């Protein structure tokens, strides 16, 4: 199996780039952020406070009461929380914030570790997240770290949210991006950082198609079986 790990901060374009590269290569695309978002949604819906002080209740609820499943429909990842497709519900600002908070808890990261590793063990995958190259798949065949300037990332996130009908300002999104960058890079457990053997792609000045075609060609050149 070929495993490609893509990490990077919020709004760097990694999800859309990873999804499209996977489609062109016939790989499975795994969006691991959706798993943290789904855990956060589960807690919110069940009145479970997301805070480090409440970690044992959260851990117990995830182990005993949450069944998390992933399915691919027309190449699109769908996550099911106790049988319910939550894709439409996990992309709000509220869930983004809660996901960032819940992802700092070691027991939550541990809970999601096996799910992520077992998908990679059985499929050619492009998996995107924050700690894929450093923690989840340290032996990935290829590691990419995608980033861009915070202002550019905030603008991309803002355009996505507006397109989905959310009412928000660019300034609010920039505050959210900066806060999440801080949380993601400063947490004790599996902080966001570029793996030593990862290749850096800065998309500040590169558009989507250029990034995707460059990366797809690069992956194909690295793995002869794909040519
Ligand atoms: O990629 P995203 O914005 O959907 O991720 C939501 C949150 O989950 C983000 O704040 C960081 C966290 N996350 C993580 O800690 N590790 C991952 N592998 C993926 C996401």
């Amino acid at each position: 199996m070929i495993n490609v790990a893509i990490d990077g901060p919020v709004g760097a374009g990694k999800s859309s780039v990873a999804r499209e590269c996977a489609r062109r290569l016939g790989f499975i695309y795994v969006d691991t952020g959706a798993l943290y978002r789904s855990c956060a949604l589960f807690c919110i819906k069940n009145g479970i406070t997301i805070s480090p002080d409440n970690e044992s209740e959260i851990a117990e609820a995830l182990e005993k009461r949450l069944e998390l499943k992933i399915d691919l429909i027309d190449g699109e990842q769908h996550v099911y929380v106790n049988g319910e497709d939550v894709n439409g519900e996990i992309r709000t600002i509220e869930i983004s914030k809660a996901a960032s908070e819940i992802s700092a808890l070691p027991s939550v990261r541990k809970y999601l570790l096996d799910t992520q590793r077992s998908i990679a063990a059985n499929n050619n995958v492009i998996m995107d997240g924050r700690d894929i190259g450093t923690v989840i798949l340290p032996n990935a065949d290829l590691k990419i770290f995608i980033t861009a300037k915070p202002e550019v990332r905030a603008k991309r996130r803002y355009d996505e949210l507006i397109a989905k009908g959310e009412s928000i300002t660019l300034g609010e999104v920039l505050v959210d991006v900066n806060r999440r960058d801080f949380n993601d890079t400063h947490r004790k457990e599996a902080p966001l950082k570029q793996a030593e053997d990862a290749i850096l792609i800065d998309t500040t000045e590169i558009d989507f198609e250029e990034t995707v075609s460059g990366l797809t060609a690069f992956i194909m050149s690295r793995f002869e079986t794909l040519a």
Side-chain angles (χ1 to χ4, degrees):
M1 294 300 147
I2 298 173
N3 290 175
V4 178
I6 299 194
D7 292 301
V10 55
K14 60 188 183 335
S15 312
S16 28
V17 167
R19 183 187 297 112
E20 181 56 18
C21 283
R23 193 188 68 74
R24 294 185 190 184
L25 293 162
F27 280 29
I28 288 186
Y29 162 62
V30 185
D31 165 9
T32 62
L35 303 177
Y36 291 92
R37 288 169 179 272
S38 299
C39 288
L41 179 75
F42 166 80
C43 287
I44 289 172
K45 279 194 166 173
N46 288 282
I48 301 164
T49 308
I50 299 175
S51 131
D53 301 337
N54 200 31
E55 185 165 0
S56 55
E57 186 190 346
I58 295 171
E60 192 178 337
L62 296 183
E63 283 295 341
K64 296 194 177 149
R65 290 162 51 200
L66 171 62
E67 193 197 17
L68 205 55
K69 279 213 170 124
I70 301 183
D71 203 2
L72 280 179
I73 304 173
D74 294 332
E76 190 70 25
Q77 173 181 296
H78 287 252
V79 184
Y80 298 84
V81 166
N82 294 334
E84 190 192 341
D85 185 342
V86 295
N87 265 31
E89 289 178 76
I90 55 173
R91 302 281 159 203
T92 62
I93 280 274
E94 185 200 4
I95 297 295
S96 297
K97 196 166 159 276
S100 180
E101 282 160 7
I102 207 167
S103 69
L105 306 179
S107 52
V108 174
R109 306 202 72 82
K110 189 161 166 277
Y111 171 78
L112 292 173
L113 187 79
D114 289 345
T115 309
Q116 297 169 80
R117 284 195 180 151
S118 69
I119 301 172
N122 297 307
N123 300 283
N124 287 337
V125 293
I126 297 190
M127 187 173 280
D128 102 50
R130 302 294 190 287
D131 62 339
I132 309 305
T134 49
V135 175
I136 306 294
L137 306 175
N139 298 319
D141 302 283
L142 179 63
K143 299 179 187 177
I144 308 286
F145 194 86
I146 301 189
T147 190
K149 283 199 180 118
E151 294 72 19
V152 172
R153 294 189 280 116
K155 176 69 169 67
R156 290 179 188 155
R157 204 64 166 187
Y158 169 77
D159 289 343
E160 272 172 29
L161 290 166
I162 292 296
K164 270 190 287 169
E166 290 230 11
S167 136
I168 193 153
T169 65
L170 181 55
E172 284 167 336
V173 180
L174 184 58
V175 167
D176 178 61
V177 162
N178 283 330
R179 189 191 47 237
R180 286 212 281 150
D181 279 357
F182 185 86
N183 287 349
D184 294 348
T185 52
H186 285 77
R187 67 175 175 232
K188 257 196 170 149
E189 193 76 13
L192 168 68
K193 66 168 192 262
Q194 184 180 342
E196 274 177 20
D197 49 351
I199 293 164
L200 178 68
I201 301 179
D202 186 328
T203 65
T204 303
E205 309 273 349
I206 320 176
D207 73 13
F208 175 73
E209 178 51 37
E210 212 178 326
T211 312
V212 169
S213 49
L215 185 54
T216 307
F218 181 70
I219 295 173
M220 289 181 79
S221 71
R222 280 286 290 264
F223 304 104
E224 279 173 15
T225 47
L226 298 174

